[in-house]
Amino acid sequence: MMPQTDAIIFLADQRGVSQLDWFRSYHSFNFGAYQAENRAPFGALRVLNDDTLDYERSLEMAIDQATDVVLIPLVGALEYDNSLGQTGFVEAGQVQVFSAKEGMRYKVTNPYPDHLVNFLQIWLKRPSEDFTPKTEINTFDFSQKNQLLPLFNACVPGFIGRYDGRAEDTYQVQSAGKGVYVFVIEGAFEVQNRLLHARDGLSLASATEVEFEALSNDAMLLILET
C-alpha cells in the first residue's frame, strides 16, 4: 500500500464554486477566481469541473493551450459546437473528446426547455501542439456492471465503471511512473483504504495498481491515469 503522503483527498464540499443564476460549477482544481493550496493541476489533469446548466442556456469556453476537452453528461444531453464547425449532441452514456489547439473555442447548450443538465468538464493538457484537432464521441454501456469500461484514450487514458455494493476491482496502472486520479460520480467507495463519497476525488502520485470496493449499489467512479 502506498504511503499517505502520496495521496491527496479532494472532498466534494471543499471544492471551489462559481455560480450564476443559470449556471453552477464546482471545481476540483484551481479554476478562474478559485485558487487554493493543494489544488494545482495533477499531471496532465488541469480541470475537473462538475457543472449544471439551466434550461436553454449556453456556456462558451476558450482554450489557452493544447488541450483534450472531455465532456461527460451525467444527467440529460448537451448540444455542442466548436471552432472546427462541428455541431451535434452528446448524451448520458456518451463521452466527447475535443482535441483543441490554443485559441480554439467550444460552446455547450442545454437543449431542454424545462430540465437542468449536469455534466463533467475535464481539461487534459496535451504534450505538444503537433496534432490535428478533432472531435470524437464514444459510447459506454452500463449494463456491463462491476468492471471498468474504457471511456476514452486521449492524451491520457480514462475509464468508468458502475458497481454493485461490495463489488471489488483493481485498476492496473498502464504506464510506470504515472499518477492516478479517482473521482466518485455516485455512491461511495473505499479506494486504497480511503473512504470516498459522491463527487470526492483522490489523487495518487505513484501507484502500480489501485484497489477499490463499492460500498453502495449502483456506485459509479471515474479513473484517469495522468
Side-chain angles (χ1 to χ4, degrees), residues 1-10 38-39 42 179-182 191-194 196 201-207 210:
M1 197 64 63
M2 60 189 306
Q4 182 72 25
T5 53
D6 286 340
I8 299 175
I9 293 178
F10 295 71
N38 294 326
R39 293 298 181 263
F42 179 63
V180 175
Y181 192 82
V182 181
V191 183
Q192 297 290 74
N193 290 335
R194 296 166 176 88
L196 301 178
L202 175 68
S203 66
L204 302 168
S206 58
V210 180

Side-chain angles (χ1 to χ4, degrees), residues 173-217:
V173 177
Q174 299 182 15
S175 301
K178 291 289 188 179
V180 175
Y181 192 82
V182 181
F183 183 76
V184 176
I185 298 173
E186 299 291 348
F189 285 87
E190 183 178 283
V191 183
Q192 297 290 74
N193 290 335
R194 296 166 176 88
L195 177 62
L196 301 178
H197 293 97
R199 312 303 164 104
D200 288 346
L202 175 68
S203 66
L204 302 168
S206 58
T208 57
E209 63 180 23
V210 180
E211 299 176 351
F212 56 90
E213 178 184 359
L215 303 180
S216 58
N217 285 324

Side-chain angles (χ1 to χ4, degrees), residues 67-70 96-99 124-127 134 136 138 151-158 225:
T67 300
D68 281 340
V69 177
V70 180
Q96 183 200 78
V97 181
F98 174 38
S99 299
L124 303 167
K125 179 182 178 181
R126 292 191 63 95
K134 62 180 180 178
E136 294 183 352
N138 297 327
L151 189 60
F152 57 82
N153 192 13
C155 56
V156 308
E225 184 175 323

Side-chain angles (χ1 to χ4, degrees), residues 16-201:
V17 62
S18 301
Q19 187 157 344
L20 301 170
D21 59 357
W22 53 272
F23 176 69
R24 183 182 64 202
S25 180
Y26 289 108
H27 317 309
S28 294
F29 297 92
N30 291 333
F31 185 82
Y34 173 65
Q35 300 291 318
E37 187 177 0
N38 294 326
R39 293 298 181 263
F42 179 63
L45 178 57
R46 298 177 56 210
V47 171
L48 198 166
N49 288 349
D50 176 5
D51 295 343
T52 301
L53 190 58
D54 207 349
Y55 324 143
E56 299 181 325
R57 300 302 294 259
S58 297
L59 177 71
E60 187 167 359
M61 304 293 291
I63 303 299
D64 60 355
Q65 60 181 285
T67 300
D68 281 340
V69 177
V70 180
L71 298 175
I72 308 175
L74 302 177
V75 177
L78 290 169
E79 184 179 0
Y80 67 88
D81 65 74
N82 57 41
S83 294
L84 300 178
Q86 298 168 330
T87 62
F89 291 87
V90 56
E91 59 187 10
Q94 295 182 316
V95 56
Q96 183 200 78
V97 181
F98 174 38
S99 299
K101 292 191 174 184
E102 180 181 355
M104 288 187 166
R105 307 177 71 87
Y106 66 96
K107 182 172 71 174
V108 293
T109 300
N110 178 347
Y112 303 107
D114 54 2
H115 293 289
L116 299 175
V117 172
N118 178 223
F119 60 101
L120 298 181
Q121 186 172 198
I122 301 169
W123 289 8
L124 303 167
K125 179 182 178 181
R126 292 191 63 95
S128 75
E129 286 275 2
D130 186 20
F131 67 97
T132 300
K134 62 180 180 178
T135 301
E136 294 183 352
I137 294 180
N138 297 327
T139 300
F140 49 94
D141 180 8
F142 274 139
S143 66
Q144 303 178 56
K145 299 180 69 174
N146 302 323
Q147 60 181 299
L148 288 172
L149 306 174
L151 189 60
F152 57 82
N153 192 13
C155 56
V156 308
F159 298 84
I160 198 167
R162 186 187 295 271
Y163 289 83
D164 295 321
R166 296 303 174 183
E168 300 180 3
D169 205 351
T170 301
Y171 174 71
Q172 301 291 337
V173 177
Q174 299 182 15
S175 301
K178 291 289 188 179
V180 175
Y181 192 82
V182 181
F183 183 76
V184 176
I185 298 173
E186 299 291 348
F189 285 87
E190 183 178 283
V191 183
Q192 297 290 74
N193 290 335
R194 296 166 176 88
L195 177 62
L196 301 178
H197 293 97
R199 312 303 164 104
D200 288 346

